[in-house]
Amino acid sequence: MAVDESAGVKGICRAIGDELRRARERKKASLADVAKRTKINPKYLQSIEEGDFAFLPEPYVRAFIRAYAQEVGLEPLTMLKPLDRVRERLQEAKFLASTQPSPRRVRLLSLWSRVKSLVSGRKSSALLFLAGALAVGVLVIVYAANYEKLFGGRKTEPPTPASRTQEARQAPNGDLRLDLEAIGDTWVQVVADDSTVSDAVYARGERKTVRARRYFRLRVEDAGALIVTLNGRPLQRLGAEKQEVVARIERAGIVSLTTQGWRTENSPVDVEQYRGGLRRGDL
């Protein structure tokens, strides 16, 4: 696959998606056919073909591209190589930006160099006095610019559970706030007042806050991997580890909870299906 790496991240992503689409069309297969054989949600395959790779964290996107390429007869490593080069360039750019001196430091060094040159070239008392005055002026400017940073007050402490509860009680009347914390990888869909506000894989340690006026409906692939808090009040665990559940949450708490199977053929891919196949080099 020949990709112009100077085209930028968006251009490279579009080129990968176009190559996969053309390979699929050569095999006279539809997106539904590829989704059925790879067990990947068709909307994710559509995003890949359009060059939009922001629908899931990078490890899952790479796994989807790998599976898609194998299905349509392309070499997976060849398809992923341009993304690796883009990542290297982004890391190099971040490193160079972090090593550049700040404009203020450059100006101060330039001023100090001029003062040293003036003092070393002339030994008269008037010039020495002028150099001393300039040095004092620089110190005053630096002190004034950094006063708030040095003496601006006490360090802000992180909010305690009690303060979070108080904050939730001060929320507008009728407003429900749901805090979700993943203690393991799991797929979660959140519906707030009939609108889907989240449909993604939550990685271990990831947190998200959503709001609603009347109720929430959660679909969780691994109930044991999710901690739910309503308006600062921790709720009961939704279910056991690896248990798929659907829960309705209102102001009173969890009003309904079912563990019946709800996944369909077009439901998002199982996280466990790809976690075992990812090597450290793929991340």
Side-chain angles (χ1 to χ4, degrees):
M1 173 184 173
V3 175
D4 182 7
E5 297 183 2
S6 65
V9 177
K10 292 184 178 179
I12 291 176
C13 292
R14 283 195 297 268
I16 293 175
D18 290 341
E19 185 70 14
L20 291 170
R21 176 181 52 77
R22 287 193 293 267
R24 173 178 61 79
E25 292 174 348
R26 284 195 297 269
K27 294 188 67 174
K28 297 183 179 180
S30 65
L31 274 178
D33 295 333
V34 177
K36 184 177 181 180
R37 288 191 289 267
T38 61
K39 306 301 182 183
I40 300 175
N41 194 315
K43 69 178 183 180
Y44 294 160
L45 298 178
Q46 181 68 37
S47 296
I48 290 175
E49 287 192 354
E50 294 173 354
D52 178 11
F53 296 171
F55 56 88
L56 278 180
E58 182 184 357
Y60 299 106
V61 175
R62 293 174 64 88
F64 292 168
I65 293 176
R66 180 188 298 274
Y68 193 164
Q70 290 176 342
E71 177 61 31
V72 297
L74 297 177
E75 173 58 41
L77 294 180
T78 302
M79 300 301 298
L80 293 173
K81 185 176 180 181
L83 286 181
D84 296 333
R85 183 53 184 159
V86 168
R87 179 194 291 176
E88 293 175 0
R89 290 186 177 181
L90 291 176
Q91 291 176 346
E92 292 174 359
K94 290 181 180 179
F95 174 76
L96 292 176
S98 65
T99 58
Q100 293 296 326
S102 64
R104 175 183 293 179
R105 184 178 180 185
V106 171
R107 290 195 296 269
L108 290 177
L109 290 175
S110 177
L111 179 59
W112 178 244
S113 299
R114 293 181 183 180
V115 171
K116 288 177 62 178
S117 175
L118 182 61
V119 172
S120 62
R122 304 289 180 88
K123 297 183 179 181
S124 66
S125 59
L127 292 178
L128 289 175
F129 175 80
L130 177 60
L134 288 175
V136 172
V138 170
L139 291 176
V140 170
I141 294 173
V142 174
Y143 178 83
N146 295 274
Y147 179 83
E148 184 176 356
K149 182 184 296 184
L150 295 174
F151 309 103
R154 298 178 180 177
K155 182 179 178 181
T156 303
E157 296 295 335
T160 62
S163 65
R164 287 196 293 265
T165 302
Q166 182 66 20
E167 177 187 351
R169 291 174 180 172
Q170 294 175 353
N173 293 334
D175 189 25
L176 300 178
R177 190 186 74 180
L178 199 67
D179 296 315
L180 306 174
E181 180 180 359
I183 59 176
D185 296 348
T186 180
W187 176 82
V188 181
Q189 182 188 69
V190 183
V191 176
D193 296 336
D194 301 326
S195 297
T196 301
V197 296
S198 178
D199 185 354
V201 174
Y202 285 32
R204 179 188 300 271
E206 185 174 356
R207 297 181 180 181
K208 187 174 182 63
T209 297
V210 293
R211 294 183 181 273
R213 301 291 296 178
R214 297 178 291 115
Y215 76 96
F216 300 95
R217 186 172 74 252
L218 302 183
R219 288 186 171 187
V220 186
E221 183 183 53
D222 185 352
L226 192 68
I227 296 176
V228 183
T229 303
L230 177 64
N231 286 356
R233 174 168 56 91
L235 301 180
Q236 69 186 60
R237 297 296 288 271
L238 299 180
E241 184 179 2
K242 305 302 181 185
Q243 189 176 40
E244 300 174 355
V245 300
V246 179
R248 182 184 176 97
I249 300 175
E250 298 178 359
R251 183 171 301 279
I254 300 175
V255 298
S256 67
L257 184 65
T258 177
T259 59
Q260 295 179 354
W262 45 264
R263 289 163 57 84
T264 64
E265 182 179 73
N266 291 334
S267 295
V269 66
D270 185 357
V271 177
E272 289 295 335
Q273 178 181 352
Y274 289 97
R275 182 189 297 154
L278 291 175
R279 299 189 299 272
R280 184 177 182 86
D282 295 332
L283 302 179

